[in-house]
């Protein structure tokens, strides 16, 4: 997970998922030519998949695109070429566009193609064009998606047996939370009991953990505290991602009518 905040911390946070994503990336880059060229990273939202992929992009000069809801095959191919710094004519034939992408990736097969939100390509029946690009270029391709992405790929016969490495991103553990706290709240010493409570209440999701750490920093600032533990947290609410429960609006309205 990367960070650039008012705390003047710059760069990625060394979470375990970042290290595992990099290991998968290098395994694909360094694989023998006869091995499959796809890697798949999957997990629920908030596990830090995107941040891990951005770190890998910076380290390996990978081409990275994030699939949009409205994308077509043409949109996808144009986005890849845009990352190469090239443009494609609006009405260029899809076959010609694919040929240009294959040639660009094939020029340096140590540069992976990272496709975030790859579930959308499978849902729209567009994943075959990614398979064609990988096979003809020889470049490694990493697909990133939600937890059901592997199951979706199993429905595409020519895809699932071309995956060399499946990487299920893991929820943050206490060590990861400590790293996030050091990065995002460096001026506050947060005790392990509070960090572990934040981890549990956040479901191990890095995005939620960061929100809770921001609240911890605010609490420390408001109380002029240099350190916090679970006891100091007191009755503060944890951010869990759950929406508030519905209010009994009609009950309130009926009471006001009777009072009138």
């Amino acid at each position: 997970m990367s960070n650039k905040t008012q705390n003047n911390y710059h760069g990625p946070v060394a979470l375990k998922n970042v290290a595992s994503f990099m290991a998968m990336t290098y395994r694909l880059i360094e694989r023998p030519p006869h091995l499959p060229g796809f890697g798949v990273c999957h997990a629920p939202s908030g596990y830090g998949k995107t941040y891990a992929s951005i770190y890998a992009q910076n380290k390996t000069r990978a081409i990275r695109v994030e699939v949009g809801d409205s994308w077509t095959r043409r949109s996808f191919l144009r986005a890849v070429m845009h990352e190469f710094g090239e443009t494609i004519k609006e009405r260029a034939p899809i076959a010609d566009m694919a040929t240009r992408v294959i040639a660009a990736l094939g020029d340096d097969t140590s540069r992976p193609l990272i496709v975030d939100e790859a579930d959308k390509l499978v849902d729209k029946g567009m994943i075959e064009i990614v398979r064609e690009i990988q096979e003809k270029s020889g470049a490694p391709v990493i697909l990133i998606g939600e937890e059901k992405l592997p199951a979706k790929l199993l429905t595409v016969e020519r895809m699932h047996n071309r995956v060399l490495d499946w990487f299920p991103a893991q929820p943050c553990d206490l060590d990861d939370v400590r790293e996030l706290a050091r990065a995002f709240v460096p001026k506050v010493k947060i005790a392990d009991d509070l960090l572990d409570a934040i981890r549990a209440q956040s479901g191990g999701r890095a995005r939620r953990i960061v929100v809770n750490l921001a609240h911890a920093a605010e609490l420390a600032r408001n109380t002029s505290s240099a350190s916090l533990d679970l006891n100091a947290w007191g009755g503060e609410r944890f951010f869990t991602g759950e929406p508030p429960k519905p209010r009994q609006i009609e009950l309130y309205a009926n009471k006001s009518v009777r009072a009138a």
Side-chain angles (χ1 to χ4, degrees):
M1 173 171 263
S2 63
N3 174 34
K4 182 178 180 181
T5 72
Q6 60 183 2
N7 297 318
N8 296 321
Y9 181 89
H10 298 264
V13 182
L15 303 183
K16 292 183 177 65
N17 281 333
V18 174
S20 297
F21 194 100
M22 283 303 303
M24 175 182 65
T25 302
Y26 282 123
R27 184 184 179 199
L28 287 165
I29 293 173
E30 297 166 0
R31 76 191 191 285
H34 65 278
L35 291 183
F38 277 97
V40 175
C41 174
H42 58 98
S45 64
Y47 274 42
K49 305 183 299 294
T50 294
Y51 290 104
S53 71
I54 292 172
Y55 180 82
Q57 176 188 16
N58 293 333
K59 286 292 186 181
T60 64
R61 301 181 305 115
I63 299 299
R64 182 182 173 279
V65 296
E66 186 171 326
V67 181
D69 289 326
S70 62
W71 278 22
T72 62
R73 289 176 177 82
R74 194 181 301 276
S75 305
F76 171 75
L77 294 169
R78 183 175 287 108
V80 174
M81 290 309 299
H82 177 75
E83 292 301 311
F84 277 107
E86 299 185 28
T87 57
I88 296 180
K89 292 181 180 179
E90 188 68 27
R91 301 310 303 170
I94 290 179
D96 292 350
M97 296 170 71
T99 298
R100 287 184 61 182
V101 169
I102 291 165
L105 287 168
D107 280 344
D108 183 358
T109 55
S110 67
R111 296 183 71 181
L113 170 62
I114 300 175
V115 184
D116 204 348
E117 302 284 352
D119 312 69
K120 297 171 184 175
L121 295 180
V122 184
D123 293 341
K124 294 184 176 185
M126 294 163 48
I127 196 66
E128 283 284 2
I129 199 165
V130 185
R131 180 192 61 79
E132 177 187 2
I133 288 169
Q134 193 286 313
E135 288 190 340
K136 291 187 177 180
S137 71
V141 174
I142 298 174
L143 305 176
I144 303 173
E146 298 298 315
E147 187 63 17
K148 293 182 180 179
L149 178 58
K152 291 180 178 181
L153 290 172
L154 284 173
T155 66
V156 186
E157 184 178 356
R158 292 194 292 181
M159 268 301 306
H160 71 268
N161 60 0
R162 287 171 168 80
V163 177
L164 178 65
D165 201 350
W166 303 88
F167 165 46
Q170 300 299 312
C172 291
D173 60 15
L174 183 56
D175 288 336
D176 287 331
V177 184
R178 290 192 189 108
E179 290 293 333
L180 290 169
R182 278 192 283 266
F184 287 90
V185 197
K187 297 180 180 180
V188 182
K189 180 176 177 56
I190 303 180
D192 277 356
D193 61 351
L194 178 53
L195 290 178
D196 200 43
I198 288 174
R199 178 201 59 77
Q201 293 291 331
S202 302
R205 302 190 185 208
R207 189 176 299 133
R208 296 177 185 173
I209 290 169
V210 171
V211 173
N212 281 305
L213 288 173
H215 184 54
E218 181 181 4
L219 177 62
R221 185 167 56 251
N222 292 341
T223 58
S224 300
S225 301
S227 62
L228 285 178
D229 58 14
L230 190 57
N231 184 60
W233 181 267
E236 295 291 319
R237 293 183 61 183
F238 290 96
F239 176 75
T240 64
E242 296 295 325
K245 295 180 179 180
R247 297 173 295 169
Q248 296 181 344
I249 301 295
E250 293 183 3
L251 177 61
Y252 296 151
N254 289 338
K255 285 184 176 179
S256 63
V257 170
R258 286 197 296 270

